[in-house]
Amino acid sequence: MRLSAVVLLISTSLVLAGSVGIKTMVFPTETSTSYVELVPLKPLDLRAFTLCMRVATELKGQREVILFAYRTRDQDELNVWRELDGRLSFYLSGEGVLFEVPQLEALETHLCVTWDSSSGTAALFMNGRKSLTKIYKKGHAIRSGGKVIIGQDPDSYLGGFDPKQSFIGEISDVNMWDSVLSASTIQDMYTGKRVPRGNVFDWENTELKINGKVEVITREL
């Protein structure tokens, strides 16, 4: 039986003994039923974005891993993946753009993806370090009206989940902006400095709708 709950955790940054508390989603097992829906602050009608998160997983190259999924009733609009060969990628309604980068691992990685429709520029940041720039989907627009989920890849609207693509591990600090942040701002974010809050997703104030066996814990950043 699917367990559903709505968790609203706001202002969880607690300074204790010089540390900062942050809510973290833990996905303990492979499943086709466990995921978290993130409720955005504004519709995802986007011609540019920066999407960041902190992620840790022990899943290696034995299968694909979904990291972020945004789908409307008609199609996938924005998916972020760890590919079978370990490359990281994102897809905007069709073919994706892939990056040769170090493997995700049990040690936490700060990951950011940026894209701008006007120039087509796409890049990826890992622990504050920028990848090369690629040109991808120039002139494209991401459409609003869908759902954002973490933990599963929906092949239909909030359904069609494949357990072999589900996420196992932990994800936190999911923030999104409707613009491309500067490299220096992303580096500041990686090191834990305060940066302007996301205006699409602001992790400190994001409403989480939990489905299945997902634990939300508070840990030190």
Side-chain angles (χ1 to χ4, degrees):
M1 179 178 180
R2 178 175 295 175
L3 173 64
S4 298
V6 176
V7 176
L8 178 59
L9 298 170
I10 61 175
S11 302
T12 57
S13 296
L14 305 175
V15 180
L16 298 172
S19 64
V20 176
I22 185 170
K23 63 178 182 283
T24 300
M25 301 175 292
V26 179
F27 299 81
T29 59
E30 182 176 282
T31 172
S32 63
T33 58
S34 298
Y35 65 92
V36 178
E37 179 186 343
L38 275 59
V39 179
L41 300 174
K42 60 185 294 185
L44 274 75
D45 182 10
L46 303 173
R47 292 187 175 273
F49 70 83
T50 301
L51 171 65
C52 297
M53 67 184 73
R54 297 180 188 272
V55 55
T57 181
E58 292 184 328
L59 292 171
K60 299 300 182 184
Q62 66 266 31
R63 67 178 181 85
E64 300 167 318
V65 183
I66 187 70
L67 300 175
F68 180 96
Y70 171 53
R71 182 184 174 89
T72 61
R73 292 190 180 276
D74 299 325
Q75 63 185 3
D76 294 329
E77 291 287 337
L78 169 58
N79 283 0
V80 181
W81 287 92
R82 200 287 307 275
E83 301 283 342
L84 187 62
D85 61 7
R87 290 183 293 176
L88 295 181
S89 62
F90 70 94
Y91 293 75
L92 302 177
S93 306
E95 294 185 1
V97 59
L98 291 82
F99 297 88
E100 294 273 3
V101 291
Q103 292 270 354
L104 296 177
E105 57 181 4
L107 298 178
E108 183 181 83
T109 297
H110 185 255
L111 174 65
C112 292
V113 175
T114 66
W115 172 75
D116 178 73
S117 176
S118 62
S119 62
T121 52
L124 186 147
F125 290 75
M126 292 187 75
N127 294 335
R129 298 182 62 191
K130 180 184 172 297
S131 72
L132 79 172
T133 299
K134 296 191 175 186
I135 304 301
Y136 173 63
K137 293 275 188 170
K138 186 175 181 178
H140 180 74
I142 298 172
R143 299 183 303 166
S144 60
K147 299 286 188 180
V148 171
I149 66 171
I150 304 293
Q152 299 286 346
D153 171 40
D155 291 332
S156 60
Y157 193 65
L158 284 183
F161 301 141
D162 180 352
K164 294 300 182 183
Q165 294 177 330
S166 65
F167 179 78
I168 304 172
E170 67 177 45
I171 291 178
S172 64
D173 208 16
V174 181
N175 293 282
M176 191 176 195
W177 296 257
D178 62 359
S179 62
V180 175
L181 299 184
S182 68
S184 61
T185 298
I186 291 174
Q187 290 167 357
D188 286 346
M189 195 186 326
Y190 161 61
T191 59
K193 296 179 181 178
R194 279 287 185 180
V195 301
R197 290 181 172 180
N199 63 350
V200 181
F201 290 110
D202 168 19
W203 190 240
E204 290 187 9
N205 297 289
T206 295
E207 180 183 341
L208 308 180
K209 296 183 178 180
I210 301 169
N211 293 263
K213 296 180 180 179
V214 183
E215 298 293 333
V216 177
I217 62 174
T218 300
R219 63 176 179 83
E220 291 183 5
L221 179 62

